[in-house]
Coordinates of all heavy atoms in Angstrom, one line a residue:
Y803 N -4.9 17.4 1.5 CA -4.3 17.0 0.2 C -2.9 16.6 0.5 O -2.4 15.6 -0.1 CB -4.4 18.2 -0.8 CG -3.6 17.9 -2.1 CD1 -4.0 16.9 -2.9 CD2 -2.5 18.6 -2.4 CE1 -3.3 16.6 -4.1 CE2 -1.8 18.4 -3.6 CZ -2.2 17.4 -4.4 OH -1.6 17.1 -5.6
A804 N -2.2 17.4 1.3 CA -0.8 17.0 1.6 C -0.7 15.6 2.3 O 0.1 14.8 2.1 CB -0.2 18.1 2.5
G805 N -1.7 15.4 3.2 CA -1.8 14.1 3.9 C -2.0 13.0 2.9 O -1.4 11.9 3.1
F806 N -2.8 13.2 1.9 CA -3.0 12.2 0.9 C -1.7 11.8 0.2 O -1.3 10.6 0.0 CB -4.0 12.7 -0.2 CG -4.1 11.8 -1.4 CD1 -4.9 10.8 -1.5 CD2 -3.3 12.1 -2.6 CE1 -5.0 10.0 -2.6 CE2 -3.4 11.4 -3.7 CZ -4.3 10.3 -3.7
N807 N -0.9 12.8 -0.2 CA 0.4 12.6 -0.9 C 1.4 11.9 0.0 O 2.2 11.1 -0.4 CB 0.9 13.8 -1.5 CG 0.1 14.2 -2.8 OD1 0.4 13.6 -3.8 ND2 -0.8 15.1 -2.7
V808 N 1.4 12.4 1.3 CA 2.4 11.8 2.2 C 2.1 10.3 2.4 O 3.1 9.5 2.4 CB 2.4 12.5 3.6 CG1 3.1 11.8 4.7 CG2 2.9 13.9 3.4
T809 N 0.9 9.9 2.6 CA 0.6 8.5 2.8 C 0.8 7.7 1.5 O 1.2 6.5 1.6 CB -0.9 8.3 3.2 OG1 -1.8 9.0 2.3 CG2 -1.1 8.8 4.6
M810 N 0.7 8.4 0.4 CA 1.0 7.7 -0.9 C 2.5 7.3 -0.9 O 2.9 6.2 -1.2 CB 0.8 8.6 -2.1 CG -0.7 8.7 -2.5 SD -1.2 7.3 -3.5 CE -0.3 7.6 -5.0
A811 N 3.4 8.3 -0.5 CA 4.8 8.0 -0.5 C 5.2 7.0 0.6 O 5.9 6.0 0.3 CB 5.6 9.3 -0.2
L812 N 4.7 7.2 1.8 CA 5.0 6.2 2.9 C 4.5 4.8 2.6 O 5.2 3.8 2.9 CB 4.4 6.7 4.2 CG 4.9 8.0 4.8 CD1 4.2 8.4 6.0 CD2 6.4 7.9 5.0
G813 N 3.3 4.7 2.0 CA 2.8 3.4 1.6 C 3.7 2.7 0.6 O 3.8 1.5 0.7
R814 N 4.2 3.5 -0.3 CA 5.1 2.9 -1.3 C 6.4 2.4 -0.7 O 7.0 1.3 -1.0 CB 5.4 3.8 -2.4 CG 4.2 4.0 -3.4 CD 4.3 5.0 -4.4 NE 3.2 4.9 -5.4 CZ 2.9 5.8 -6.3 NH1 3.6 6.9 -6.4 NH2 1.9 5.6 -7.1
F815 N 7.0 3.2 0.3 CA 8.2 2.8 0.9 C 8.0 1.5 1.8 O 8.9 0.7 1.9 CB 8.8 3.9 1.7 CG 9.6 4.9 0.9 CD1 9.1 6.1 0.5 CD2 10.9 4.5 0.4 CE1 9.8 7.0 -0.3 CE2 11.6 5.4 -0.3 CZ 11.1 6.6 -0.7
A816 N 6.9 1.4 2.4 CA 6.6 0.2 3.2 C 6.0 -0.9 2.4 O 6.1 -2.1 2.9 CB 5.7 0.6 4.3
G817 N 5.5 -0.6 1.2 CA 4.7 -1.6 0.5 C 5.5 -2.8 0.0 O 5.0 -4.0 0.0
G818 N 6.8 -2.6 -0.3 CA 7.6 -3.7 -0.8 C 7.7 -4.8 0.2 O 7.6 -6.0 -0.1
L819 N 8.0 -4.5 1.5 CA 8.2 -5.5 2.5 C 6.9 -6.2 2.8 O 6.8 -7.4 3.0 CB 8.7 -4.8 3.8 CG 10.1 -4.3 3.8 CD1 10.5 -3.6 5.1 CD2 11.1 -5.4 3.5
I820 N 5.8 -5.4 2.7 CA 4.5 -6.0 3.0 C 4.1 -7.0 1.9 O 3.6 -8.1 2.2 CB 3.4 -4.9 3.1 CG1 3.7 -4.0 4.4 CG2 2.0 -5.5 3.3 CD1 2.8 -2.8 4.5
I821 N 4.4 -6.6 0.7 CA 4.0 -7.5 -0.5 C 4.9 -8.8 -0.4 O 4.4 -9.9 -0.7 CB 4.2 -6.8 -1.8 CG1 3.1 -5.7 -1.9 CG2 4.1 -7.8 -3.0 CD1 3.3 -4.8 -3.1
Q822 N 6.2 -8.6 -0.1 CA 7.0 -9.8 0.1 C 6.5 -10.8 1.2 O 6.6 -12.0 1.0 CB 8.5 -9.4 0.5 CG 9.3 -8.9 -0.7 CD 10.7 -8.5 -0.3 OE1 11.3 -7.8 -1.0 NE2 11.2 -9.1 0.8
R823 N 5.9 -10.2 2.2 CA 5.4 -11.1 3.3 C 4.1 -11.7 2.9 O 3.9 -12.9 3.2 CB 5.3 -10.2 4.5 CG 4.7 -10.9 5.8 CD 5.7 -12.0 6.2 NE 5.2 -12.7 7.4 CZ 4.4 -13.7 7.4 NH1 4.0 -14.2 6.2 NH2 4.0 -14.3 8.5
F824 N 3.2 -11.0 2.3 CA 1.9 -11.5 2.1 C 1.5 -11.8 0.7 O 0.5 -12.5 0.4 CB 0.8 -10.6 2.7 CG 1.0 -10.3 4.2 CD1 1.6 -9.2 4.7 CD2 0.5 -11.3 5.1 CE1 1.7 -9.0 6.0 CE2 0.7 -11.1 6.4 CZ 1.3 -9.9 6.9
G825 N 2.2 -11.3 -0.3 CA 1.9 -11.5 -1.7 C 1.1 -10.4 -2.3 O 0.4 -9.6 -1.6
R826 N 1.2 -10.2 -3.6 CA 0.6 -9.0 -4.3 C -0.9 -9.1 -4.2 O -1.6 -8.1 -3.9 CB 1.0 -9.0 -5.8 CG 2.3 -8.2 -6.0 CD 2.4 -7.7 -7.4 NE 2.4 -8.8 -8.4 CZ 3.4 -9.4 -8.9 NH1 4.6 -9.0 -8.6 NH2 3.3 -10.4 -9.8
A827 N -1.5 -10.2 -4.5 CA -3.0 -10.3 -4.6 C -3.7 -9.9 -3.3 O -4.6 -9.1 -3.2 CB -3.4 -11.6 -5.1
P828 N -3.2 -10.5 -2.1 CA -3.9 -10.2 -0.9 C -3.7 -8.7 -0.5 O -4.6 -8.0 0.0 CB -3.2 -11.1 0.1 CG -2.7 -12.2 -0.6 CD -2.3 -11.7 -2.0
V829 N -2.5 -8.2 -0.8 CA -2.2 -6.8 -0.5 C -3.1 -5.9 -1.3 O -3.7 -4.9 -0.8 CB -0.7 -6.4 -0.6 CG1 -0.5 -4.9 -0.5 CG2 0.1 -7.2 0.4
L830 N -3.2 -6.1 -2.6 CA -4.0 -5.3 -3.5 C -5.5 -5.4 -3.1 O -6.3 -4.5 -3.2 CB -3.8 -5.7 -4.9 CG -2.5 -5.4 -5.5 CD1 -2.5 -5.6 -7.0 CD2 -2.1 -3.9 -5.3
R831 N -5.9 -6.6 -2.6 CA -7.3 -6.7 -2.2 C -7.6 -5.8 -1.0 O -8.6 -5.1 -1.0 CB -7.6 -8.2 -1.9 CG -9.1 -8.5 -1.6 CD -9.3 -10.0 -1.3 NE -9.0 -10.8 -2.5 CZ -8.0 -11.6 -2.6 NH1 -7.2 -11.8 -1.5 NH2 -7.8 -12.4 -3.7
V832 N -6.7 -5.8 -0.1 CA -6.9 -4.9 1.1 C -6.7 -3.4 0.7 O -7.5 -2.6 1.1 CB -5.8 -5.3 2.2 CG1 -5.9 -4.2 3.3 CG2 -6.1 -6.7 2.7
A833 N -5.8 -3.2 -0.2 CA -5.5 -1.8 -0.7 C -6.7 -1.2 -1.4 O -7.1 -0.1 -1.1 CB -4.3 -1.8 -1.6
G834 N -7.3 -2.0 -2.3 CA -8.5 -1.5 -3.0 C -9.7 -1.2 -2.0 O -10.4 -0.2 -2.2
T835 N -9.9 -2.1 -1.1 CA -11.0 -2.0 -0.1 C -10.7 -0.8 0.8 O -11.6 0.0 1.0 CB -11.1 -3.2 0.7 OG1 -11.3 -4.4 -0.1 CG2 -12.2 -3.1 1.7
L836 N -9.5 -0.6 1.2 CA -9.1 0.6 2.0 C -9.4 1.9 1.3 O -10.0 2.8 1.9 CB -7.7 0.5 2.5 CG -7.1 1.6 3.4 CD1 -7.9 1.7 4.7 CD2 -5.6 1.4 3.6
A837 N -8.9 2.0 0.1 CA -9.1 3.2 -0.7 C -10.5 3.5 -0.9 O -11.0 4.6 -0.7 CB -8.3 3.1 -2.0
S838 N -11.3 2.5 -1.3 CA -12.7 2.7 -1.6 C -13.5 3.1 -0.3 O -14.3 4.0 -0.3 CB -13.3 1.4 -2.1 OG -14.7 1.6 -2.4

């Protein structure tokens, strides 16, 4: 459970740069697939 929350936080800190590079829609497509 701690690992789940840590990756939530780390993903958010890194997410801004990734979205700037690739765009929201592609990142969310990968994010939803990864979570599922």
Side-chain angles (χ1 to χ4, degrees):
Y803 174 65
F806 170 85
N807 282 283
V808 168
T809 53
M810 283 281 293
L812 294 179
R814 284 173 170 171
F815 277 103
L819 294 176
I820 296 173
I821 292 172
Q822 280 183 204
R823 178 66 179 84
F824 298 102
R826 272 200 303 261
V829 171
L830 290 187
R831 190 177 294 113
V832 173
T835 303
L836 178 63
S838 180

